[in-house]
Amino acid sequence: MTLQPGLIDSHCHLADKSFNGDREAVISRAASCGVHRIVAVGGGGPIEASEASAELAAANPSLRATAGIHPHDAGNYSDEIETRLRALLARPEVSAVGETGLDYYYDNSPRPAQREALARHLALAAEFRKPVVLHCRDAETDLREVLETERPGGLSGVVHCFTGSYEQAAHCIELGLLISFTGILTFKNAGDLRETARRLPLDRLMVETDSPYLAPQPYRGKRNEPAYVCEVAKVLAELRGVSIETVAEITSANAESLFFS
Ligand SMILES: [Zn+2]
Ligand SMILES: [Zn+2]
């Protein structure tokens, strides 16, 4: 299936080593089924992951990169890392800050360090006038508090891989953020999340793979890749009672203006 106007995978860890053997093939497989643009996020590992994402985006006009330190690694945030983030954020192909945020499910970094790193990323986003890619797991109340303290006027960006409640999503939208869904939307046990996706304003939504993680049905358990974002869009279209082309048009317009304009 090839879609017109095409889908954008708004969040993919394309620099991840699991793509080292076939990255070009992965990008062309996505393009051949209508996924014509991909956001190669940084933040899935050390600062080098963001630097590698920027190199990929510099070499391919259908890609954009983001630069940040994942909440899992927030304990390692330092002035030296911030200097390297600044150098990345000055580059035109690096269109957003992140992923940053709070992950209280894994707690891989101490929570105060996660909140501090998030605040520093929000300051960088304001300074460079770039949107922010937020990751939040089991930390919605604290995320809200940090956002309201650091950016009381609201902000531009996305809460990616959204898994919270309808009310939490609605509040993020009030702050100016978009909500993005992954393959979790296709999982059998995600009924509550599907109900949230059905009710939110479609014009504030995006779709993503978060690949190589979280492969949607029917690929669950395998390595995920950008081509599979179609499965997320398909479920969203069914939930909303609209065509997949409509979902593609609206979610791609959002991703386009956030990352590619
Ligand atoms: Zn994430
Ligand atoms: Zn991610």
Side-chain angles (χ1 to χ4, degrees):
M1 179 176 61
T2 305
L3 284 168
Q4 287 302 332
L7 281 164
I8 297 179
D9 181 358
S10 70
H11 190 113
C12 165
H13 295 269
L14 198 58
D16 188 87
K17 61 179 181 319
S18 65
F19 293 120
N20 283 356
D22 64 345
R23 192 169 286 108
E24 286 310 312
V26 161
I27 296 169
S28 22
R29 248 193 318 275
S32 68
C33 68
V35 182
H36 65 302
R37 291 184 163 189
I38 300 168
V39 179
V41 286
I47 182 75
E48 285 77 10
S50 292
E51 290 167 346
S53 299
E55 290 312 313
L56 291 175
N60 185 333
S62 65
L63 307 176
R64 288 292 184 278
T66 74
I69 298 298
H70 195 280
H72 289 343
D73 304 305
N76 302 326
Y77 197 91
S78 64
D79 290 341
E80 190 251 326
I81 282 179
E82 192 165 290
T83 303
R84 288 165 74 176
L85 283 178
R86 280 173 188 283
L88 288 170
L89 289 167
R91 296 169 61 162
E93 64 274 17
V94 177
S95 54
V97 176
E99 62 185 295
T100 177
L102 303 173
D103 194 315
Y104 292 177
Y105 178 79
Y106 285 108
D107 274 330
N108 285 352
S109 279
R111 293 180 181 185
Q114 293 190 42
R115 288 192 289 267
E116 172 64 21
L118 170 58
R120 306 258 304 245
H121 281 84
L122 292 171
L124 285 174
E127 179 187 333
F128 284 86
R129 296 175 187 276
K130 292 192 172 178
V132 63
V133 177
L134 295 166
H135 168 112
C136 181
R137 191 138 181 226
D138 290 356
E140 282 78 8
T141 308
D142 275 19
L143 177 71
R144 178 177 178 160
E145 196 190 299
V146 176
L147 293 179
E148 288 179 346
T149 307
E150 301 296 325
R151 299 290 291 274
L155 72 170
S156 153
V158 55
V159 184
H160 102 96
C161 190
F162 188 79
T163 52
S165 69
Y166 172 82
E167 288 69 26
Q168 288 158 350
H171 183 258
C172 291
I173 289 172
E174 260 171 47
L175 292 176
L177 297 165
L178 296 163
I179 299 293
S180 178
F181 291 104
T182 58
I184 291 176
L185 209 55
T186 71
F187 294 177
K188 266 200 188 66
N189 60 359
D192 289 351
L193 191 64
R194 279 190 288 276
E195 180 55 17
T196 295
R198 193 185 63 77
R199 289 171 63 200
L200 290 171
L202 186 56
D203 67 356
R204 302 305 294 164
L205 303 185
M206 291 196 297
V207 288
E208 63 173 286
T209 58
D210 205 10
S211 49
Y213 317 106
L214 294 173
Q217 295 289 10
Y219 308 103
R220 201 170 172 184
K222 300 190 175 147
R223 183 192 71 174
N224 197 3
E225 62 175 71
Y228 300 165
V229 77
C230 300
E231 304 299 327
V232 185
K234 225 185 274 174
V235 170
L236 193 56
E238 278 164 22
L239 287 169
R240 312 294 307 214
V242 298
S243 67
I244 190 167
E245 287 79 8
T246 300
V247 166
E249 189 181 336
I250 294 171
T251 60
S252 296
N254 284 339
E256 191 86 38
S257 68
L258 202 62
F259 298 111
F260 288 87
S261 56

